[in-house]
Amino acid sequence: MAKYSNYPQSAKNRAKAALSHKEKTKTKCGTSVGWARARQLSSGAALDLSTVKRTFSFLSRAKTYDQGKFTDKDGRDICGSIMYAAWGGDSMKAWCERTINKSQNK
């Protein structure tokens, strides 16, 4: 089974930023699955194709909730933005789509 670890550094950085926010603020946002994905991405762990597909699926749905910042003007967490970053954000979404398309063309 193919493994993929060549995702963008920017995706790793977004996951690291979300994890840092969680550590600093103890945010209640996200699920154990989302935080596990953030740890995988931030460490550069290899992902199998089914994980790449699930990541793309999540990011495709979650993009609508991303406001590009982790807190609002009152300092409250923006969970959609935090978790979109935890899963690697825009660069991860684009990489997943390319990776899925390449795998289907083989």
Side-chain angles (χ1 to χ4, degrees):
M1 176 179 276
K3 294 280 188 169
Y4 304 89
S5 59
N6 62 331
Y7 42 88
Q9 183 63 46
S10 55
K12 295 175 191 175
N13 292 344
R14 293 306 296 148
K16 286 177 185 177
L19 286 165
S20 176
H21 179 79
K22 179 177 175 62
E23 185 176 310
K24 288 178 191 168
T25 67
K26 309 296 184 225
T27 183
K28 302 292 184 207
C29 295
T31 66
S32 59
V33 172
W35 291 114
R37 185 72 67 242
R39 287 187 297 277
Q40 284 179 313
L41 297 179
S42 68
S43 70
L47 309 175
D48 61 29
L49 187 58
S50 67
T51 301
V52 172
K53 288 178 178 180
R54 286 193 311 274
T55 301
F56 178 70
S57 177
F58 173 83
L59 290 168
S60 295
R61 293 186 317 271
K63 175 61 180 166
T64 190
Y65 302 108
D66 179 32
Q67 296 180 34
K69 56 188 177 182
F70 291 167
T71 57
D72 66 14
K73 63 181 173 55
D74 297 319
R76 292 181 297 228
D77 284 335
I78 303 172
C79 292
S81 295
I82 295 167
M83 295 319 296
Y84 190 73
W87 286 69
D90 290 335
S91 63
M92 189 65 178
K93 181 177 177 280
W95 177 86
C96 287
E97 185 171 27
R98 286 191 308 272
T99 301
I100 293 164
N101 287 340
K102 283 179 190 175
S103 76
Q104 291 172 341
N105 291 330
K106 286 186 178 182

